Structures are given as C-alpha cells and as structure tokens.
Amino acid sequence: MAQGKFISYLRVSTDKQGRSGLGIEAQREAVTSYLNGGRWTLVAEYVETESGKKSDRPKLAAALSHAKAIGAKMVFAKLDRLTRNVDLLRSLVASDVDLVFCDLPSVPPGPMGKLLLTQMASVAELEAGLIGERTKKALAAAKARGVKLGNPNGARALRGKQTGNAEAVSRIKEKAAQRAMNLQGIIETIKRSGITSVRAVTEELNRQGIRAPRGGEWHPTAVARLLNRLPKAA
C-alpha cells in the first residue's frame, strides 16, 4: 500500500502524442491505480514529450530535483519508458530519489529498484558495445572496398570546436540556470502565498525542507541568485 509523497513522470514520444494526450491517460491511470488505497499525496505530475533515445530530458531532471527537494518518491507508469539509454539509467541509479515502477509492483522503492536499473544499464551497455563492434567491422569492410571515410574537409572541419575556458564557464551557468528552473514551480507557489522578500523566501524554503543545491539550508545570498535566474514573472 502506497504511503508518503510522490512525484509522477509520464512520457510520450512525439509532439503529436503530447497534444492529443495519447498514452498519457493510460499512464496516469496506472499511477493512480498503483497509489490507490494508501495514505499518499501526489504532489506534482511531470509530462515529457521526447524521443525515448534521447538522454536530455528536462522534465525528468526537474521531476527528480523536485522529488529530492521535498523527500518524495518518483513514480513511473512503465519501466520501458526509461530503458533505451544507458546514461539515463545510470543517472537515475545515481540519484538520491526512491523510484517506483507501477508495472513492477513487486520491486520496492530504494536499493532493490536501483539494483534492477543497474542490471538493465549493464545489459544496454553490452548491446551498445556489440552494435559498435559491428559498425567498426562494417566500416573496415567499406574501406577495404575503396570507400573514402571521414570528413573530406579534414582538420578544417574541427576548427572552432575546441572547448575553452569561456565555454566551460557557460556550461556552469547553464547548469545553474537549469537548477533554478527546476525550483521555479516551488518558488511561484511561495510567492503566490504572499511571501516575496528574499529573506522571507529563504525562511520558507528552509521551513519546507527544500535543500539548497549543495545540500543543507538556504541562505539569502543563494536565494537572491536563484530568483535572479528565474523569469521575472515568477
């Protein structure tokens, strides 16, 4: 029987499915059915419209951050929504969030669920390695037949692609902006309740048990930076 706070993650593969709701209602029903009968609260629902082969899923990142911030469990309608990408599976294993899969009710949240993901990541990595080996052999065979491989522009095609200090700084700023967006919904709720000053927002975040990016409590300076990274309408 489900108990506690939950964040649900639903995914459809195309924009058309996202607009039509195709597949979403079935996933939502699976989540509701799993939680039914327990003392639970579904705090938020995140819906991702994305290809299953991509590891860059902003809604999933936001859902994990939200769950981690309030100590909630993440609930997924179906495990196969996450099984196509090794890096994605590993990021879920490395997260500090308990994971629940409605189609595998016998697997409890916590270490057992993450052990399953670890095993699946290993299998996916093996499959990727086998595909890579077959690709190498195919390229070698093509080269033997006289097929020219590689970029015809040679080294010139690589110019301008070196990663410098400026780009590294830019990536750090992008990550900070993403962390801020993950907390946008929580900040908007706090502000709608009439709490708007930096110090008051800081106190409310700490009162709710929302963790700062590096763990521990929030401080006004960090909250001020957080608010500056969010859209002004927040």
Side-chain angles (χ1 to χ4, degrees), residues 4-8 40-45 66 70 72:
K5 295 179 289 186
F6 290 84
I7 302 288
S8 69
W40 54 269
T41 301
L42 187 61
V43 179
E45 175 187 279
H66 193 168
I70 63 175

Side-chain angles (χ1 to χ4, degrees), residues 44 46 58-59 61-63 65-67 69-70 176-193 195 201 205 208 210-211 218 223 225-234:
Y46 288 79
K59 293 292 186 180
S65 295
H66 193 168
I70 63 175
Q178 182 60 57
R179 286 196 298 269
M181 294 303 294
N182 291 343
L183 293 171
Q184 182 179 3
I186 296 174
I187 294 297
E188 288 177 348
T189 301
I190 291 175
K191 286 190 171 184
R192 282 196 296 269
S193 71
I195 300 173
V201 171
L205 285 171
Q208 292 187 22
I210 308 298
R211 299 170 187 168
W218 287 90
V223 172
R225 288 197 295 265
L226 169 66
L227 297 178
N228 286 334
R229 292 188 178 105
L230 293 175
K232 297 302 180 184

Side-chain angles (χ1 to χ4, degrees), residues 1 16 20 26 32 61 79-80 89 127 145 150 158 169 187 228:
M1 183 176 292
K16 183 178 180 181
S20 68
T32 303
L79 181 58
D80 64 9
L89 289 172
E127 291 178 346
R145 292 195 304 269
L158 300 177
V169 172
I187 294 297
N228 286 334

